[in-house]
Amino acid sequence: MVFKMKLRLVCPCHFGLESVLKFEMNKIGGEDITVKDGRVEFTGDLSVLVRANICLLSAERVLVKLGEFKAETFEELFQGVKALPLEDFIGKADRFPVKGHSLGSTLKSVPDCQSIIKKAAVERLKQRYGISWFEETGALYQLQFGIMNNIASIYIDSTGEGLHKRGYRKNSVTAPIKETLAAGMVDLARIRENSIVCDPFCGSGTFLIEAAYKAMNIAPGLNRRFESENWGVAGLALWKEERERARAAIKKETDFFAYGYDNDPEAVALTAANCKKAGVSDRVSVKTADIKSYKAPPEAITICNPPYGERMLEIKEAEALYSALGKSFSAKSFREAPYYVITPHEEFESFFGYKPDKKRKLYNGMIKCQLYMYFK
């Protein structure tokens, strides 16, 4: 069976978090790791695929890479897909829709590429199974393609709903930060099992929850389902085994604690509800408070996504918040009380009042941001 062999797996991630994800790959047993812009590739067997879905904090999804080949024409695309071992995964009754993208290539029409790939997959499976009609009522094997500079890469998505869908945030405030991005920032902030974390703009509580997950080694996919659990070639016993392994790895005896504040009582109530859903409410205190009265506890790590606006009045209000955040710093040095702030505002540090020790470009959705890191 294919899953007794090594698989080439690909995990997309937010631009700027590739090094964070690479470190996670090493921890779960990934081999031959390759870092590219916005994704990390690695090799592993089926247990690693399952573990990646359950345990990875900063990955967007886990893709099985079927192959890569040159495709300047539709005929090359057709023949390249037809040569792939699709039958190792897709059964006679299974579903295999196609979606993807094309950039910088002669094959510009995504709908046409979808049609060609689907046709090639059908032809391959017709030959292997000796049938002419596929009812497609079984498990879902979502075929994905990416054509970049005339090189086509073909994948099967093992995840389904993106890995940022942890299950704890059914509701959220306006423009919440994505869970996977928050997890990456938590890693960059070096949250440990004895850390104290504060978010003075807690919103939906995402930073607080992701920090607790990191500190307590809680796998974010423990309480959700994945599309590949329905695959005929993947046994449910392995999923059970990996979930038990992840539960056994949780660090329950830690000194971690987090404090969340927001001037909106509804956001505070939402944060409390989401922390309860995430199973970390006993590690989080959340209160209604204005940034002007914010003082982080001694040795706390402040990590936040302050509000920002597009209209002039909103921008001025945001700049006033940045100044108030800077005034909240009262320790002797950022080494004692680090601050990690993400914002798209290019002049943030002038309002905050301190030059960062390091900056990292990140994208919050389609918005280019900077992570301002103060730790010295």
Side-chain angles (χ1 to χ4, degrees):
M1 291 294 292
V2 64
F3 287 129
K4 291 182 180 179
M5 302 187 302
K6 295 292 186 180
L7 305 172
R8 192 63 178 166
L9 305 171
V10 179
C11 289
C13 65
H14 286 270
F15 285 99
L17 294 184
E18 295 88 350
S19 62
V20 172
L21 182 52
K22 179 183 178 183
F23 182 76
E24 288 192 74
M25 299 291 193
N26 276 309
K27 285 180 64 178
I28 66 166
E31 302 173 349
D32 189 21
I33 301 173
T34 302
V35 176
K36 300 183 180 180
D37 286 345
R39 68 187 190 276
V40 180
E41 297 189 9
F42 62 110
T43 299
D45 58 15
L46 177 58
S47 64
V48 173
L49 179 147
V50 173
R51 201 174 305 145
N53 275 298
I54 293 172
C55 297
L56 290 179
L57 288 156
S58 59
E60 296 300 309
R61 58 184 61 251
V62 183
L63 306 173
V64 179
K65 189 173 185 179
L66 296 178
E68 193 170 82
F69 51 86
K70 182 180 176 183
E72 294 182 337
T73 67
F74 286 127
E75 180 63 20
E76 288 178 331
L77 181 61
F78 179 88
Q79 294 299 336
V81 173
K82 190 179 176 184
L84 299 175
L86 299 170
E87 67 280 0
D88 285 347
F89 298 86
I90 304 170
K92 294 179 182 180
D94 293 333
R95 294 171 287 156
F96 50 103
V98 180
K99 64 180 180 181
H101 63 271
S102 177
L103 295 172
S105 301
T106 56
L107 301 179
K108 301 181 187 301
S109 171
V110 170
D112 286 343
C113 291
Q114 286 176 294
S115 179
I116 293 295
I117 291 171
K118 181 70 174 185
K119 183 179 178 181
V122 167
E123 288 301 312
R124 169 80 185 199
L125 295 173
K126 279 170 62 175
Q127 291 179 4
R128 290 301 182 273
Y129 291 129
I131 58 177
S132 59
W133 174 257
F134 294 89
E135 58 186 43
E136 297 198 51
T137 57
L140 174 64
Y141 291 81
Q142 176 67 62
L143 292 177
Q144 291 197 13
F145 69 91
I147 306 176
M148 177 100 43
N149 298 323
N150 296 319
I151 300 297
S153 300
I154 311 297
Y155 312 94
I156 296 178
D157 176 20
S158 75
T159 301
E161 273 198 312
L163 291 177
H164 70 283
K165 296 284 189 180
R166 318 290 209 210
Y168 64 72
R169 203 174 72 178
K170 299 296 184 183
N171 300 299
S172 61
V173 296
T174 304
I177 195 163
K178 208 170 181 180
E179 295 90 332
T180 44
L181 177 56
M185 289 175 55
V186 162
D187 186 90
L188 292 170
R190 299 180 181 178
I191 303 302
R192 300 292 185 263
E193 59 187 83
N194 62 346
S195 295
I196 299 172
V197 172
C198 290
D199 182 356
F201 308 98
C202 63
S204 305
T206 307
F207 281 127
L208 306 176
I209 295 169
E210 294 299 327
Y213 277 8
K214 173 72 174 179
M216 299 174 67
N217 199 37
I218 298 174
L222 262 177
N223 297 313
R224 58 156 289 179
R225 312 302 293 182
F226 302 93
E227 199 61 57
S228 48
E229 291 184 68
N230 302 313
W231 290 2
V233 290
L236 292 178
L238 183 54
W239 286 94
K240 181 180 179 182
E241 178 185 327
E242 288 297 333
R243 283 194 169 94
E244 289 175 351
R245 171 185 172 134
R247 287 191 183 94
I250 295 174
K251 299 176 181 177
K252 297 179 181 179
E253 303 299 324
T254 71
D255 294 325
F256 171 84
F257 203 82
Y259 297 87
Y261 307 95
D262 204 290
N263 65 354
D264 181 358
E266 290 187 8
V268 169
L270 182 59
T271 292
N274 287 342
C275 287
K276 185 175 181 179
K277 288 177 190 172
V280 298
S281 57
D282 61 333
R283 301 296 182 132
V284 178
S285 171
V286 57
K287 296 179 181 179
T288 303
D290 190 90
I291 184 61
K292 293 177 182 178
S293 61
Y294 172 69
K295 292 295 179 185
E299 301 181 357
I301 300 171
T302 296
I303 180 168
C304 60
N305 174 31
Y308 51 86
E310 296 180 358
R311 294 186 292 271
M312 185 58 67
L313 180 60
E314 293 174 338
I315 293 172
K316 293 297 182 184
E317 291 173 344
E319 290 169 352
L321 292 178
Y322 304 155
S323 296
L325 182 64
K327 291 175 183 176
S328 75
F329 176 71
S330 58
K332 293 181 180 179
S333 70
F334 285 109
R335 185 183 298 275
E336 295 179 7
Y339 275 52
Y340 292 80
V341 186
I342 187 171
T343 176
H345 199 301
E346 296 182 357
E347 301 298 324
F348 167 79
E349 60 190 90
S350 65
F351 293 97
F352 183 67
Y354 299 93
K355 184 177 178 61
D357 298 305
K358 192 175 181 181
K359 292 194 295 186
R360 181 181 290 232
K361 183 167 68 175
L362 297 172
Y363 280 83
N364 187 5
M366 299 300 292
I367 302 172
K368 184 177 77 171
C369 299
Q370 292 285 350
L371 174 60
Y372 293 86
M373 298 182 272
Y374 299 85
F375 51 85
K376 292 183 180 179

